[in-house]
Amino acid sequence: MRRQDRMVTNVDEIKGILSSTRIIHLGMMDGDYPYVVPLHFGYEFIDDVLHIFVHGHHEGKKFDLIKVNPHVFIEIDGNDETLVSGGDIPCKYSSVYSSVMGRGEATYLERVDEKAHGLQVLMKHQTGREFPFTDAMVNSVGVVQIKVVDYTAKRRRQLEQDIIMPPLTK
């Protein structure tokens, strides 16, 4: 990481970034080109290793690609949308941001208990609630667990001297 001053290594801070948003961008290889999809996700740390869960319809491009090549890349933006003014110098404009990015190994889950656990983690992250899942509900979707083998987290905080720009209007 080039900007070491923005690197986040504290696990609680990383969990804060992960908890601040509900969307992950999952990158897979589709032949010679990357294929990236935004997805809802849930996460947990198991023995200090980050695990991400995503779901979707049984059939579809993302699961087909994962089954062919389980090596994936994740990108998660924290919930930051504050634009910082650079005044008359365009290259000085910035924004407050946070992100987690990393490489992972994706596994398409087959067992009902593993899928139910993944769905429970996902729904807890998305809604803050736990839900009962019947076998029929679990079997109606595909669930993928991503073991994140290497990741970095980064944050640019708002500084006292920053001049904050108003939000975009539509």
Side-chain angles (χ1 to χ4, degrees), residues 10-108:
N10 179 289
V11 174
D12 289 331
E13 245 186 292
I14 293 167
K15 288 177 182 177
I17 294 168
L18 295 169
S19 295
S20 74
T21 189
R22 293 184 173 94
I23 301 295
I24 186 172
H25 295 95
L26 180 62
M28 300 150 283
M29 289 306 295
D30 183 12
D32 292 336
Y33 295 94
Y35 179 76
V36 180
V37 292
L39 298 164
H40 288 101
F41 77 100
Y43 76 93
E44 66 182 351
F45 282 85
I46 303 171
D47 298 326
D48 297 325
V49 176
L50 175 59
H51 291 259
I52 304 280
F53 294 91
V54 297
H55 79 304
H57 194 273
H58 287 287
E59 298 172 2
K61 188 169 187 167
K62 70 179 168 285
F63 290 155
D64 290 344
L65 293 174
I66 286 171
K67 289 174 184 175
V68 170
N69 182 351
H71 299 110
V72 298
F73 195 86
I74 62 154
E75 190 278 336
I76 299 167
D77 294 322
N79 192 12
D80 307 302
E81 296 182 9
T82 305
L83 180 64
V84 177
S85 174
D88 293 332
I89 305 169
C91 296
K92 294 280 185 182
Y93 278 76
S94 186
S95 62
V96 175
Y97 66 85
S98 57
S99 65
V100 176
M101 300 188 319
R103 296 177 298 141
E105 302 285 334
T107 303
Y108 186 84

Side-chain angles (χ1 to χ4, degrees), residues 3 6 81-87 92-97 155-166:
R3 293 293 307 259
R6 295 186 179 167
E81 296 182 9
T82 305
L83 180 64
V84 177
S85 174
K92 294 280 185 182
Y93 278 76
S94 186
S95 62
V96 175
Y97 66 85
R155 168 174 276 147
R156 190 229 189 252
R157 299 179 186 280
Q158 185 173 329
L159 306 174
E160 256 183 60
Q161 67 269 23
D162 286 343
I163 298 170
I164 304 304
M165 300 291 299

